[in-house]
Amino acid sequence: NNDGARVYSVDLEGTFLLTKRHQFEKVLLTTEEVLQRANIVITGVPNDEWRLPTEWVQPGSTVINISEFQNVDEDAIVRIPVPIHTVDY
C-alpha cells in the first residue's frame, strides 16, 4: 500500500506509475516532469557516468542514492537555495 502517494519509476523503457492494483502503467511524463513533482527521489542507476539532473529536483526534496555508484552530485545539491536532504546507501 502506498497510502495515496504517487509512485513513479523511470528507466530506459519510459516512465511508469504504480497503480492501486500494484501494477505499473506507462505514462507520458518526462524525467524532468516527474522530478519536479517528487518529494522523495531514489536513484539506483548501475552506471558510473549517470548523474541525477539536480536542476530538476524541487527544493526541500529528499534524495536517496542506493546505487553502488555516485549518482548524485552532492556539490550541486548543496548550492540549491532551499536544502535538499541526501542519503547515501
Side-chain angles (χ1 to χ4, degrees):
N1 188 346
N2 63 9
D3 292 327
R6 288 193 177 178
V7 178
Y8 293 97
S9 175
V10 180
D11 63 22
L12 295 175
E13 303 297 320
T15 303
F16 301 86
L17 175 65
L18 182 64
T19 69
K20 291 182 180 185
R21 295 182 181 195
H22 303 284
Q23 296 176 346
F24 282 101
E25 290 183 358
K26 194 164 189 169
V27 293
L28 298 175
L29 294 172
T30 65
T31 302
E32 181 177 4
E33 291 170 321
V34 171
L35 286 173
Q36 290 174 343
R37 295 175 182 199
N39 297 107
I40 299 172
V41 177
I42 302 172
T43 66
V45 179
N47 183 316
D48 191 32
E49 296 179 15
W50 186 85
R51 295 291 178 273
L52 176 71
T54 54
E55 64 274 12
W56 295 346
V57 177
Q58 69 171 318
S61 296
T62 298
V63 177
I64 302 169
N65 178 36
I66 61 170
S67 174
E68 64 183 293
F69 301 107
Q70 190 62 32
N71 287 169
V72 179
D73 180 352
E74 292 182 18
D75 291 334
I77 293 255
V78 297
R79 288 192 295 267
I80 295 174
V82 176
I84 291 179
H85 313 285
T86 61
V87 178
D88 282 324
Y89 175 75

Coordinates of all heavy atoms in Angstrom, one line a residue:
N1 N 0.8 -1.2 0.0 CA 0.0 0.0 0.0 C 0.9 1.2 0.0 O 1.8 1.3 0.8 CB -0.9 0.0 1.2 CG -2.0 1.1 1.2 OD1 -1.9 2.0 0.4 ND2 -2.9 0.9 2.1
N2 N 0.6 2.2 -0.9 CA 1.4 3.4 -0.9 C 0.7 4.6 -0.2 O 1.1 5.7 -0.3 CB 1.8 3.7 -2.4 CG 0.6 4.0 -3.2 OD1 -0.5 4.2 -2.8 ND2 0.9 4.2 -4.5
D3 N -0.4 4.3 0.5 CA -1.1 5.3 1.3 C -1.4 6.6 0.5 O -1.2 7.7 1.1 CB -0.3 5.6 2.6 CG -0.3 4.5 3.5 OD1 -1.3 3.7 3.5 OD2 0.7 4.3 4.2
G4 N -1.7 6.5 -0.7 CA -2.1 7.7 -1.5 C -1.0 8.4 -2.2 O -1.2 9.3 -3.0
A5 N 0.3 8.0 -2.0 CA 1.4 8.6 -2.7 C 1.4 8.2 -4.2 O 0.9 7.1 -4.5 CB 2.7 8.2 -2.1
R6 N 1.9 9.0 -5.0 CA 2.1 8.6 -6.4 C 3.5 8.2 -6.5 O 4.5 8.9 -6.2 CB 1.8 9.8 -7.4 CG 0.4 10.1 -7.4 CD 0.1 11.1 -8.5 NE -1.4 11.3 -8.6 CZ -2.0 12.1 -9.4 NH1 -1.3 12.7 -10.3 NH2 -3.3 12.2 -9.4
V7 N 3.7 6.9 -7.0 CA 5.0 6.3 -7.1 C 5.3 6.1 -8.6 O 4.6 5.4 -9.3 CB 5.0 5.0 -6.4 CG1 6.4 4.3 -6.5 CG2 4.7 5.2 -4.9
Y8 N 6.4 6.8 -9.0 CA 6.8 6.7 -10.4 C 8.1 5.9 -10.5 O 8.9 5.9 -9.6 CB 7.0 8.1 -11.0 CG 5.8 8.9 -11.2 CD1 5.5 9.9 -10.2 CD2 5.0 8.8 -12.3 CE1 4.3 10.6 -10.3 CE2 3.8 9.6 -12.4 CZ 3.5 10.5 -11.4 OH 2.4 11.3 -11.5
S9 N 8.3 5.2 -11.6 CA 9.5 4.6 -12.0 C 10.0 5.1 -13.3 O 9.2 5.1 -14.3 CB 9.3 3.1 -12.0 OG 10.5 2.4 -12.4
V10 N 11.2 5.5 -13.4 CA 11.8 6.0 -14.7 C 12.9 5.1 -15.1 O 13.9 4.9 -14.3 CB 12.2 7.5 -14.6 CG1 12.7 7.9 -15.9 CG2 11.0 8.3 -14.2
D11 N 12.9 4.5 -16.3 CA 14.0 3.7 -16.7 C 14.2 3.9 -18.2 O 13.6 4.8 -18.8 CB 13.9 2.3 -16.3 CG 12.7 1.6 -16.9 OD1 12.2 2.1 -18.0 OD2 12.3 0.6 -16.4
L12 N 15.0 3.1 -18.8 CA 15.3 3.2 -20.3 C 14.0 3.0 -21.1 O 13.9 3.4 -22.2 CB 16.3 2.2 -20.7 CG 17.7 2.4 -20.1 CD1 18.7 1.3 -20.5 CD2 18.3 3.8 -20.5
E13 N 13.0 2.3 -20.6 CA 11.8 2.0 -21.3 C 10.8 3.1 -21.2 O 9.8 3.1 -21.9 CB 11.2 0.7 -20.8 CG 12.1 -0.5 -20.8 CD 12.5 -0.9 -22.2 OE1 11.6 -0.8 -23.1 OE2 13.6 -1.2 -22.5
G14 N 10.9 4.1 -20.3 CA 10.0 5.2 -20.2 C 9.7 5.5 -18.7 O 10.4 5.1 -17.8
T15 N 8.5 6.1 -18.5 CA 8.1 6.5 -17.2 C 6.8 5.7 -16.9 O 5.9 5.6 -17.7 CB 7.8 8.0 -17.1 OG1 8.9 8.7 -17.5 CG2 7.3 8.4 -15.7
F16 N 6.7 5.2 -15.6 CA 5.6 4.3 -15.2 C 5.1 4.8 -13.9 O 5.8 5.3 -13.0 CB 6.1 2.9 -15.1 CG 6.6 2.3 -16.4 CD1 7.9 2.5 -16.7 CD2 5.8 1.7 -17.3 CE1 8.5 2.0 -17.9 CE2 6.3 1.2 -18.5 CZ 7.6 1.4 -18.8
L17 N 3.8 4.6 -13.7 CA 3.1 5.0 -12.5 C 2.6 3.7 -11.8 O 1.9 2.9 -12.5 CB 1.9 5.9 -12.8 CG 1.0 6.3 -11.6 CD1 1.8 7.1 -10.5 CD2 -0.2 7.1 -12.1
L18 N 2.9 3.5 -10.5 CA 2.4 2.4 -9.8 C 0.9 2.6 -9.5 O 0.5 3.6 -8.9 CB 3.2 2.2 -8.5 CG 2.8 1.0 -7.6 CD1 3.1 -0.3 -8.4 CD2 3.5 1.0 -6.3
T19 N 0.0 1.7 -9.9 CA -1.4 1.8 -9.7 C -1.8 1.2 -8.3 O -1.0 0.5 -7.6 CB -2.2 1.0 -10.8 OG1 -2.0 -0.4 -10.6 CG2 -1.8 1.5 -12.2
K20 N -3.1 1.4 -8.0 CA -3.6 0.9 -6.7 C -3.6 -0.6 -6.7 O -3.7 -1.3 -5.7 CB -5.0 1.4 -6.4 CG -5.0 2.9 -6.1 CD -6.3 3.4 -5.7 CE -6.2 4.9 -5.4 NZ -7.5 5.5 -5.0
R21 N -3.6 -1.2 -7.9 CA -3.6 -2.7 -8.0 C -2.1 -3.2 -8.1 O -1.9 -4.4 -8.4 CB -4.3 -3.1 -9.3 CG -5.8 -2.8 -9.2 CD -6.6 -3.2 -10.4 NE -8.0 -2.8 -10.2 CZ -8.9 -3.3 -10.9 NH1 -8.7 -4.2 -11.8 NH2 -10.2 -2.9 -10.7
H22 N -1.2 -2.3 -7.7 CA 0.2 -2.7 -7.7 C 0.8 -3.2 -9.0 O 1.6 -4.1 -9.1 CB 0.5 -3.8 -6.6 CG 0.0 -3.3 -5.2 ND1 0.7 -2.4 -4.5 CD2 -1.1 -3.6 -4.5 CE1 0.1 -2.1 -3.4 NE2 -1.0 -2.8 -3.4
Q23 N 0.4 -2.5 -10.1 CA 0.9 -2.7 -11.4 C 1.4 -1.4 -11.9 O 0.9 -0.3 -11.5 CB -0.2 -3.3 -12.3 CG -0.7 -4.6 -11.9 CD -1.9 -5.1 -12.8 OE1 -2.4 -4.3 -13.6 NE2 -2.2 -6.4 -12.7
F24 N 2.4 -1.5 -12.8 CA 3.0 -0.2 -13.4 C 2.3 0.0 -14.7 O 2.2 -0.9 -15.6 CB 4.5 -0.4 -13.6 CG 5.2 -0.1 -12.3 CD1 5.7 -1.2 -11.6 CD2 5.4 1.2 -11.8 CE1 6.4 -1.0 -10.4 CE2 6.1 1.4 -10.6 CZ 6.6 0.3 -9.9
E25 N 1.8 1.2 -14.9 CA 1.2 1.7 -16.2 C 2.1 2.8 -16.8 O 2.6 3.7 -16.1 CB -0.2 2.3 -16.0 CG -1.2 1.3 -15.6 CD -2.6 1.9 -15.4 OE1 -2.7 3.1 -15.6 OE2 -3.5 1.1 -15.2
K26 N 2.4 2.7 -18.1 CA 3.2 3.7 -18.7 C 2.5 5.0 -18.8 O 1.3 5.0 -19.1 CB 3.6 3.2 -20.1 CG 4.7 4.0 -20.8 CD 5.3 3.3 -21.9 CE 6.5 4.1 -22.4 NZ 7.3 3.4 -23.3
V27 N 3.1 6.1 -18.5 CA 2.6 7.4 -18.5 C 3.4 8.3 -19.4 O 4.6 8.0 -19.6 CB 2.4 8.0 -17.1 CG1 1.4 7.3 -16.3 CG2 3.8 8.1 -16.4
L28 N 2.8 9.4 -19.9 CA 3.5 10.3 -20.8 C 4.1 11.5 -20.1 O 3.7 12.6 -20.3 CB 2.6 10.7 -21.9 CG 2.1 9.6 -22.8 CD1 1.1 10.2 -23.8 CD2 3.2 8.9 -23.6
L29 N 5.0 11.2 -19.1 CA 5.7 12.2 -18.4 C 7.2 12.1 -18.6 O 7.7 10.9 -18.7 CB 5.4 12.1 -16.9 CG 4.0 12.4 -16.4 CD1 3.9 12.0 -15.0 CD2 3.6 13.8 -16.7
T30 N 7.9 13.2 -18.7 CA 9.3 13.1 -18.8 C 10.0 13.0 -17.5 O 9.4 13.2 -16.4 CB 9.9 14.4 -19.5 OG1 9.6 15.5 -18.6 CG2 9.2 14.7 -20.8
T31 N 11.3 12.6 -17.5 CA 12.0 12.5 -16.2 C 12.0 13.9 -15.5 O 11.8 13.9 -14.3 CB 13.5 12.1 -16.5 OG1 13.5 10.9 -17.2 CG2 14.3 12.0 -15.2
E32 N 12.1 14.9 -16.2 CA 12.1 16.3 -15.7 C 10.8 16.5 -15.0 O 10.7 17.0 -13.8 CB 12.3 17.3 -16.7 CG 12.3 18.8 -16.2 CD 12.6 19.8 -17.2 OE1 12.8 19.5 -18.4 OE2 12.7 21.0 -16.9
E33 N 9.6 16.2 -15.6 CA 8.3 16.4 -15.0 C 8.1 15.6 -13.7 O 7.6 16.1 -12.8 CB 7.2 16.1 -16.0 CG 7.2 17.1 -17.2 CD 6.2 16.6 -18.3 OE1 6.2 15.4 -18.6 OE2 5.6 17.4 -18.9
V34 N 8.6 14.4 -13.7 CA 8.5 13.5 -12.6 C 9.3 14.1 -11.4 O 8.8 14.2 -10.3 CB 8.9 12.1 -12.9 CG1 8.9 11.2 -11.6 CG2 7.9 11.5 -13.9
L35 N 10.5 14.5 -11.7 CA 11.4 15.0 -10.6 C 10.9 16.3 -10.1 O 11.0 16.6 -8.9 CB 12.8 15.2 -11.2 CG 13.6 14.0 -11.4 CD1 14.9 14.3 -12.1 CD2 13.9 13.3 -10.0
Q36 N 10.2 17.1 -10.9 CA 9.7 18.4 -10.4 C 8.5 18.2 -9.5 O 8.1 19.0 -8.7 CB 9.4 19.3 -11.6 CG 10.6 19.8 -12.2 CD 10.4 20.6 -13.5 OE1 9.3 20.6 -14.1 NE2 11.3 21.4 -13.9
R37 N 7.8 17.0 -9.6 CA 6.7 16.7 -8.8 C 7.1 15.9 -7.5 O 6.3 15.8 -6.6 CB 5.7 15.8 -9.5 CG 5.1 16.5 -10.7 CD 4.3 15.5 -11.5 NE 3.7 16.1 -12.7 CZ 2.7 15.7 -13.4 NH1 2.1 14.6 -13.0 NH2 2.3 16.3 -14.4
A38 N 8.3 15.4 -7.4 CA 8.6 14.4 -6.4 C 9.1 15.1 -5.1 O 9.8 16.1 -5.1 CB 9.8 13.5 -6.9
N39 N 8.7 14.6 -4.0 CA 9.2 15.0 -2.7 C 10.3 14.1 -2.2 O 11.2 14.4 -1.4 CB 8.1 14.9 -1.6 CG 7.0 15.9 -1.9 OD1 5.9 15.5 -2.3 ND2 7.2 17.2 -1.8
I40 N 10.3 12.8 -2.7 CA 11.4 11.9 -2.4 C 11.8 11.3 -3.8 O 11.1 10.8 -4.6 CB 10.8 10.7 -1.5 CG1 10.3 11.3 -0.2 CG2 11.9 9.7 -1.3 CD1 9.6 10.3 0.7
V41 N 13.2 11.3 -4.0 CA 13.8 10.8 -5.2 C 14.8 9.7 -4.7 O 15.6 9.9 -3.9 CB 14.5 11.9 -5.9 CG1 15.2 11.3 -7.2 CG2 13.6 13.0 -6.3
I42 N 14.6 8.5 -5.3 CA 15.5 7.4 -5.0 C 16.2 7.0 -6.3 O 15.5 6.7 -7.3 CB 14.8 6.2 -4.4 CG1 14.1 6.6 -3.2 CG2 15.7 5.0 -4.2 CD1 13.1 5.5 -2.6
T43 N 17.5 7.1 -6.4 CA 18.3 6.7 -7.5 C 19.0 5.4 -7.3 O 19.4 5.1 -6.2 CB 19.3 7.7 -7.9 OG1 20.3 7.8 -6.9 CG2 18.7 9.1 -8.1
G44 N 19.1 4.6 -8.3 CA 19.8 3.3 -8.2 C 20.4 2.9 -9.6 O 20.3 1.7 -9.9
V45 N 20.9 3.9 -10.3 CA 21.3 3.6 -11.7 C 22.7 2.9 -11.6 O 23.6 3.4 -11.0 CB 21.4 4.9 -12.5 CG1 21.9 4.7 -13.9 CG2 20.1 5.6 -12.5
P46 N 22.8 1.7 -12.2 CA 24.0 1.0 -12.1 C 25.1 1.4 -13.2 O 25.5 0.6 -14.0 CB 23.6 -0.5 -12.4 CG 22.4 -0.3 -13.3 CD 21.7 1.0 -12.8
N47 N 25.4 2.7 -13.2 CA 26.2 3.3 -14.2 C 27.0 4.4 -13.5 O 26.5 5.3 -13.0 CB 25.4 3.8 -15.4 CG 26.3 4.3 -16.5 OD1 27.3 5.0 -16.3 ND2 25.9 4.0 -17.7
D48 N 28.4 4.3 -13.6 CA 29.2 5.3 -13.0 C 29.2 6.7 -13.7 O 29.6 7.7 -13.1 CB 30.7 4.8 -13.0 CG 31.6 5.6 -12.2 OD1 31.1 6.1 -11.1 OD2 32.8 5.8 -12.5
E49 N 28.7 6.8 -14.9 CA 28.6 8.0 -15.6 C 27.3 8.8 -15.5 O 27.3 10.0 -15.8 CB 28.9 7.8 -17.1 CG 30.3 7.3 -17.3 CD 30.6 7.0 -18.8 OE1 29.9 7.5 -19.6 OE2 31.6 6.3 -19.0
W50 N 26.3 8.1 -15.0 CA 24.9 8.8 -14.9 C 24.9 9.6 -13.7 O 25.3 9.2 -12.6 CB 23.8 7.7 -14.9 CG 22.5 8.4 -14.9 CD1 21.8 8.8 -16.0 CD2 21.7 8.8 -13.8 NE1 20.6 9.4 -15.7 CE2 20.5 9.4 -14.3 CE3 21.8 8.7 -12.4 CZ2 19.5 9.8 -13.5 CZ3 20.8 9.2 -11.6 CH2 19.6 9.7 -12.2
R51 N 24.3 10.8 -13.8 CA 24.1 11.7 -12.6 C 22.7 12.2 -12.6 O 22.1 12.5 -13.7 CB 25.1 12.9 -12.7 CG 26.5 12.6 -12.5 CD 26.9 12.1 -11.1 NE 28.3 11.8 -11.0 CZ 28.8 10.6 -11.3 NH1 28.0 9.6 -11.8 NH2 30.1 10.3 -11.2
L52 N 22.1 12.3 -11.5 CA 20.8 12.9 -11.3 C 20.8 14.4 -11.7 O 21.7 15.1 -11.2 CB 20.4 12.8 -9.8 CG 19.0 13.5 -9.5 CD1 17.9 12.7 -10.0 CD2 18.9 13.6 -8.0
P53 N 19.9 14.8 -12.6 CA 19.9 16.2 -13.0 C 19.4 17.1 -11.8 O 18.2 17.2 -11.7 CB 19.0 16.3 -14.2 CG 18.7 14.9 -14.6 CD 19.0 14.0 -13.4
T54 N 20.2 17.6 -11.0 CA 19.8 18.3 -9.8 C 19.0 19.5 -10.1 O 18.2 19.9 -9.2 CB 21.0 18.6 -8.9 OG1 22.0 19.4 -9.7 CG2 21.7 17.4 -8.4
E55 N 19.1 20.1 -11.2 CA 18.4 21.3 -11.6 C 16.9 21.0 -11.7 O 16.0 21.9 -11.7 CB 18.9 22.0 -12.8 CG 18.7 21.2 -14.1 CD 19.9 20.2 -14.4 OE1 20.8 20.0 -13.5 OE2 20.0 19.7 -15.5
W56 N 16.5 19.7 -11.8 CA 15.1 19.3 -11.9 C 14.5 18.9 -10.6 O 13.3 18.7 -10.5 CB 15.0 18.1 -12.9 CG 15.4 18.4 -14.3 CD1 15.6 19.6 -14.9 CD2 15.6 17.5 -15.3 NE1 15.9 19.5 -16.2 CE2 15.9 18.2 -16.5 CE3 15.6 16.1 -15.4 CZ2 16.2 17.5 -17.7 CZ3 15.9 15.4 -16.6 CH2 16.2 16.2 -17.7
V57 N 15.3 18.8 -9.6 CA 14.8 18.3 -8.2 C 14.3 19.5 -7.5 O 14.9 20.6 -7.4 CB 16.0 17.7 -7.4 CG1 15.5 17.3 -6.0 CG2 16.5 16.5 -8.1
Q58 N 13.1 19.4 -7.0 CA 12.5 20.5 -6.3 C 13.1 20.8 -4.9 O 13.4 19.8 -4.3 CB 10.9 20.4 -6.2 CG 10.5 19.3 -5.3 CD 9.0 19.4 -5.1 OE1 8.4 20.4 -5.0 NE2 8.3 18.2 -5.1
P59 N 13.2 22.0 -4.5 CA 13.8 22.3 -3.2 C 13.0 21.7 -2.1 O 11.8 21.6 -2.2 CB 13.7 23.9 -3.2 CG 13.7 24.3 -4.6 CD 13.0 23.2 -5.3
G60 N 13.7 21.2 -1.1 CA 13.0 20.6 0.0 C 12.9 19.1 -0.1 O 12.4 18.4 0.8
S61 N 13.2 18.5 -1.3 CA 13.1 17.1 -1.5 C 14.2 16.3 -0.8 O 15.2 16.8 -0.4 CB 13.3 16.8 -3.0 OG 12.2 17.4 -3.7
T62 N 13.9 15.0 -0.6 CA 14.8 14.1 0.0 C 15.3 13.2 -1.2 O 14.5 12.7 -1.9 CB 14.2 13.2 1.0 OG1 13.7 14.0 2.1 CG2 15.2 12.2 1.6
V63 N 16.7 13.1 -1.3 CA 17.3 12.4 -2.4 C 18.1 11.2 -1.8 O 18.9 11.5 -0.9 CB 18.2 13.3 -3.2 CG1 18.9 12.4 -4.3 CG2 17.4 14.4 -3.9
I64 N 17.8 10.0 -2.2 CA 18.4 8.8 -1.7 C 19.1 8.1 -2.8 O 18.4 7.8 -3.8 CB 17.4 7.9 -1.0 CG1 16.7 8.6 0.2 CG2 18.1 6.6 -0.5 CD1 15.5 7.9 0.7
N65 N 20.4 7.8 -2.7 CA 21.1 7.1 -3.7 C 21.4 5.7 -3.2 O 22.1 5.5 -2.2 CB 22.4 7.8 -4.1 CG 23.2 7.0 -5.1 OD1 22.7 6.4 -6.0 ND2 24.5 7.0 -4.9
I66 N 20.8 4.7 -3.9 CA 21.0 3.3 -3.5 C 22.0 2.5 -4.4 O 22.2 1.4 -4.3 CB 19.7 2.5 -3.3 CG1 18.9 2.4 -4.6 CG2 18.9 3.1 -2.1 CD1 17.8 1.5 -4.5
S67 N 22.5 3.3 -5.4 CA 23.4 2.7 -6.4 C 24.8 2.5 -5.7 O 25.2 3.2 -4.8 CB 23.5 3.6 -7.6 OG 24.5 3.1 -8.5
E68 N 25.5 1.6 -6.2 CA 26.9 1.4 -5.8 C 27.8 2.6 -6.4 O 28.9 2.8 -5.9 CB 27.5 0.1 -6.3 CG 27.6 -0.1 -7.8 CD 28.1 -1.4 -8.2 OE1 29.3 -1.7 -8.0 OE2 27.3 -2.2 -8.8
F69 N 27.2 3.3 -7.3 CA 27.9 4.5 -7.9 C 27.3 5.8 -7.4 O 26.2 5.8 -6.9 CB 27.8 4.4 -9.4 CG 28.3 3.2 -10.0 CD1 27.5 2.2 -10.5 CD2 29.7 2.9 -10.1 CE1 28.0 1.0 -11.1 CE2 30.2 1.8 -10.7 CZ 29.3 0.8 -11.2
Q70 N 28.1 6.8 -7.5 CA 27.7 8.1 -7.0 C 26.8 8.8 -8.1 O 27.2 9.5 -8.9 CB 29.0 9.0 -6.8 CG 28.7 10.3 -6.1 CD 28.1 10.1 -4.7 OE1 28.4 9.2 -4.0 NE2 27.3 11.0 -4.3
N71 N 25.5 8.5 -8.0 CA 24.5 9.0 -8.9 C 24.1 10.5 -8.7 O 23.5 11.1 -9.5 CB 23.2 8.2 -8.9 CG 23.3 6.8 -9.5 OD1 22.4 6.1 -9.4 ND2 24.4 6.5 -10.2
V72 N 24.5 11.0 -7.5 CA 24.1 12.4 -7.1 C 25.4 13.3 -7.0 O 26.3 12.9 -6.3 CB 23.3 12.3 -5.8 CG1 22.9 13.7 -5.3 CG2 22.1 11.4 -5.9
D73 N 25.3 14.4 -7.6 CA 26.4 15.4 -7.5 C 26.1 16.2 -6.2 O 25.3 17.1 -6.2 CB 26.4 16.3 -8.7 CG 27.5 17.3 -8.6 OD1 28.2 17.5 -7.6 OD2 27.8 18.0 -9.6
E74 N 26.7 15.8 -5.1 CA 26.4 16.5 -3.8 C 26.8 18.0 -3.8 O 26.2 18.8 -3.1 CB 27.1 15.7 -2.7 CG 26.4 14.4 -2.5 CD 27.0 13.6 -1.3 OE1 27.7 14.2 -0.4 OE2 26.8 12.4 -1.3
D75 N 27.8 18.3 -4.6 CA 28.2 19.8 -4.6 C 27.1 20.6 -5.3 O 26.8 21.7 -4.9 CB 29.5 19.9 -5.4 CG 30.7 19.4 -4.7 OD1 30.7 19.3 -3.4 OD2 31.7 19.0 -5.3
A76 N 26.5 20.0 -6.3 CA 25.3 20.7 -7.0 C 24.1 20.8 -6.0 O 23.4 21.8 -6.0 CB 25.0 20.0 -8.3
I77 N 23.9 19.8 -5.3 CA 22.7 19.7 -4.4 C 22.8 20.8 -3.3 O 21.9 21.5 -3.0 CB 22.6 18.4 -3.7 CG1 22.2 17.3 -4.7 CG2 21.6 18.4 -2.5 CD1 20.8 16.8 -4.7
V78 N 24.0 21.0 -2.7 CA 24.1 22.0 -1.6 C 24.0 23.4 -2.1 O 23.8 24.3 -1.3 CB 25.4 21.8 -0.8 CG1 25.4 20.4 -0.1 CG2 26.7 21.9 -1.7
R79 N 24.2 23.7 -3.4 CA 24.0 25.0 -4.0 C 22.6 25.4 -4.2 O 22.3 26.6 -4.5 CB 24.8 25.1 -5.3 CG 26.3 25.1 -5.1 CD 27.0 25.6 -6.3 NE 26.9 24.6 -7.4 CZ 27.7 23.6 -7.7 NH1 28.7 23.4 -6.9 NH2 27.5 22.8 -8.7
I80 N 21.6 24.5 -4.0 CA 20.2 24.8 -4.2 C 19.8 25.6 -3.0 O 20.1 25.3 -1.8 CB 19.4 23.5 -4.3 CG1 19.8 22.8 -5.6 CG2 17.9 23.8 -4.3 CD1 19.2 21.5 -5.8
P81 N 19.1 26.8 -3.2 CA 18.7 27.7 -2.1 C 18.0 27.0 -0.9 O 18.4 27.3 0.3 CB 17.9 28.7 -2.7 CG 18.1 28.6 -4.2 CD 18.6 27.2 -4.4
V82 N 17.0 26.2 -1.1 CA 16.3 25.5 0.0 C 17.0 24.2 0.1 O 17.1 23.5 -0.9 CB 14.8 25.4 -0.3 CG1 14.1 24.6 0.8 CG2 14.2 26.8 -0.4
P83 N 17.3 23.7 1.3 CA 18.1 22.5 1.4 C 17.4 21.3 0.8 O 16.2 21.1 0.9 CB 18.3 22.3 2.9 CG 17.8 23.5 3.5 CD 17.1 24.3 2.5
I84 N 18.1 20.4 0.2 CA 17.7 19.1 -0.2 C 18.4 18.1 0.6 O 19.6 18.2 0.8 CB 18.0 18.8 -1.7 CG1 17.1 19.7 -2.6 CG2 17.7 17.4 -2.1 CD1 17.3 19.6 -4.1
H85 N 17.7 17.2 1.2 CA 18.3 16.2 2.1 C 18.8 15.0 1.3 O 18.1 14.5 0.5 CB 17.2 15.7 3.1 CG 16.5 16.9 3.7 ND1 17.0 17.7 4.7 CD2 15.2 17.4 3.5 CE1 16.2 18.6 5.0 NE2 15.1 18.5 4.3
T86 N 20.0 14.6 1.5 CA 20.6 13.5 0.8 C 20.9 12.4 1.7 O 21.3 12.6 2.9 CB 21.8 13.9 0.0 OG1 22.8 14.4 0.9 CG2 21.5 15.0 -1.0
V87 N 20.8 11.2 1.2 CA 21.1 10.0 2.0 C 21.9 9.1 1.0 O 21.4 8.8 0.0 CB 19.9 9.2 2.5 CG1 20.3 8.0 3.3 CG2 19.0 10.2 3.4
D88 N 23.1 8.7 1.4 CA 23.8 7.7 0.6 C 23.7 6.3 1.3 O 23.8 6.2 2.5 CB 25.3 8.1 0.6 CG 25.6 9.2 -0.4 OD1 24.9 9.2 -1.5 OD2 26.4 10.0 -0.2
Y89 N 23.5 5.3 0.4 CA 23.4 4.0 0.9 C 24.7 3.3 1.0 O 25.6 3.5 0.2 CB 22.4 3.2 0.0 CG 22.3 1.7 0.3 CD1 21.6 1.3 1.4 CD2 22.9 0.8 -0.4 CE1 21.5 0.0 1.7 CE2 22.8 -0.5 -0.1 CZ 22.1 -0.9 1.0 OH 22.0 -2.2 1.3

